[in-house]
Amino acid sequence: MLAGRQQQGDELLAQLRQLLFSPSPTTVVESSGGGGGAPPCCDGRRRRRRGSKRGRDDDDDKTCNHDQQQDVVDEPAADAQLRRHSRKTRRRKQEKSSKCLVTSVPDFDGYQWRKYGQKQIEGAMYARSYYRCTRSAQQGCPAKRTVQRNDDDDAVPAEYTVVYMGDHTCTPNDDYSLEAPPVILETTAVVAPVASTTTSAADQSPAISDDITCRSSSDDYADDYYGPPLFGVHDSWAQETTMMEDLISGPIRSPLHIPDAAHAWTIDHYFLMLDAAGS
DNA sequence: ATCATTTGACCTTT
DNA sequence: AAAGGTCAAATGAT
């Protein structure tokens, strides 16, 4: 188990290295290049009331035709108009400064995310999940990300392509401190947080649920998650510039380790390093 | 009661 | 027109 995790970690670190020292740090990964024809996600034209959930399929079957009419009649024209108008400016062109990486643990990048959508992408085996920073509402943090599981089923740790868009205006510590106490982990001791904050949509999302996601149970977390350094939360990353070799051989911390603000490692540090390496 | 997720519809971009 | 990104009601979890 641990050996396997270690191997996973090694592989991912190798990936990180590759990214770090590649000339084009923000290379877009061809995640959907895996080829496999997209499974028909839509079985004909679905006509359901908005907000329906999967559990209501039966219900919908019974009332399908009814709903179809209701869709048209139900909504006051003014409301519809208003909503249309409000959506006018909804979609912006995708952030020009998006950053992409591949990881087997998309959830642990130092920030909290809230899922706001999921979509089956043409040509992709798995659905893409859309997340925004949980601070988007309170602090107006514009950061978003999409997580898509890569097509190659053979990858032992499921790999995910994570695309970050927009910069965080919030701090990662804020994200955690409200819900969960900081947790300091040594290499041999694990004290898991009350991790409702870390149990993200990934646990349930078909797109990214897998054996790699964190559970809210502290014991489970300790068992399952102690090991793969993935986004290697490492003091050195923030404290000083060190060679990757040093980082790789250094002490390993749980991805959930929450250092103090000055030493907090987030995905931003990684991207900063990418930028530095690229310039 | 509140919060997070799901998911079809809607909208923009290509 | 197709594809992809976002909205928001319904619903589940806590």
Side-chain angles (χ1 to χ4, degrees):
Chain A
M1 187 65 158
L2 274 178
R5 302 269 186 190
Q6 182 67 48
Q7 190 181 349
Q8 295 171 18
D10 290 345
E11 287 170 7
L12 281 152
L13 280 169
Q15 264 187 4
L16 276 177
R17 259 206 276 200
Q18 197 174 348
L19 273 169
L20 276 171
F21 298 120
S22 70
S24 174
T26 57
T27 300
V28 174
V29 176
E30 295 180 345
S31 60
S32 60
C41 61
C42 305
D43 44 341
R45 181 165 179 78
R46 285 168 303 201
R47 200 78 176 114
R48 307 166 86 181
R49 281 170 50 181
R50 241 176 285 157
S52 60
K53 294 192 78 166
R54 58 181 175 193
R56 298 178 59 221
D57 282 344
D58 291 343
D59 203 37
D60 281 330
D61 285 347
K62 287 180 214 152
T63 60
C64 183
N65 292 334
H66 182 65
D67 283 349
Q68 193 160 351
Q69 293 176 344
Q70 290 247 323
D71 257 357
V72 180
V73 180
D74 229 1
E75 192 163 48
D79 279 2
Q81 185 105 2
L82 187 67
R83 203 166 58 211
R84 281 215 169 91
H85 183 264
S86 70
R87 285 179 178 184
K88 272 283 169 117
T89 57
R90 185 175 56 187
R91 185 182 177 189
R92 289 172 309 181
K93 186 138 169 80
Q94 189 165 6
E95 307 281 343
K96 47 187 180 292
S97 62
S98 65
K99 291 164 181 174
C100 173
L101 63 86
V102 178
T103 177
S104 66
V105 183
D107 291 332
F108 299 110
D109 53 13
Y111 292 95
Q112 267 187 284
W113 302 92
R114 175 169 300 166
K115 189 173 184 176
Y116 68 88
Q118 177 177 311
K119 188 142 188 125
Q120 185 67 43
I121 298 302
E122 183 75 13
M125 209 177 276
Y126 303 97
R128 176 179 299 168
S129 297
Y130 297 87
Y131 298 86
R132 61 165 55 100
C133 181
T134 56
R135 293 285 170 260
S136 64
Q138 297 114 318
Q139 299 180 11
C141 178
K144 291 179 201 165
R145 73 172 190 176
T146 66
V147 176
Q148 178 151 29
R149 182 171 173 177
N150 290 353
D151 284 353
D152 51 342
D153 255 341
D154 297 338
V156 175
E159 292 180 349
Y160 302 86
T161 298
V162 187
V163 179
Y164 292 88
M165 292 165 288
D167 297 326
H168 283 280
T169 57
C170 64
T171 65
N173 267 23
D174 284 347
D175 285 337
Y176 284 101
S177 61
L178 292 181
E179 311 278 349
V183 178
I184 307 298
L185 298 177
E186 302 303 330
T187 53
T188 57
V190 175
V191 182
V194 181
S196 64
T197 59
T198 61
T199 314
S200 71
D203 282 32
Q204 293 151 23
S205 163
I208 52 181
S209 69
D210 212 325
D211 53 346
I212 63 166
T213 51
C214 174
R215 291 177 181 49
S216 56
S217 155
S218 55
D219 288 337
D220 284 348
Y221 176 80
D223 287 344
D224 287 356
Y225 222 80
Y226 193 74
L230 298 167
F231 275 124
V233 183
H234 193 296
D235 285 345
S236 311
W237 284 59
Q239 282 179 338
E240 57 195 39
T241 55
T242 55
M243 297 302 294
M244 279 302 291
E245 278 70 25
D246 294 332
L247 299 180
I248 291 164
S249 60
I252 297 169
R253 279 186 171 164
S254 157
L256 273 189
H257 165 72
I258 309 297
D260 61 73
H263 299 156
W265 185 93
T266 72
I267 194 68
D268 290 341
H269 290 106
Y270 167 64
F271 285 132
L272 278 175
M273 291 183 69
L274 282 183
D275 290 341
S279 61

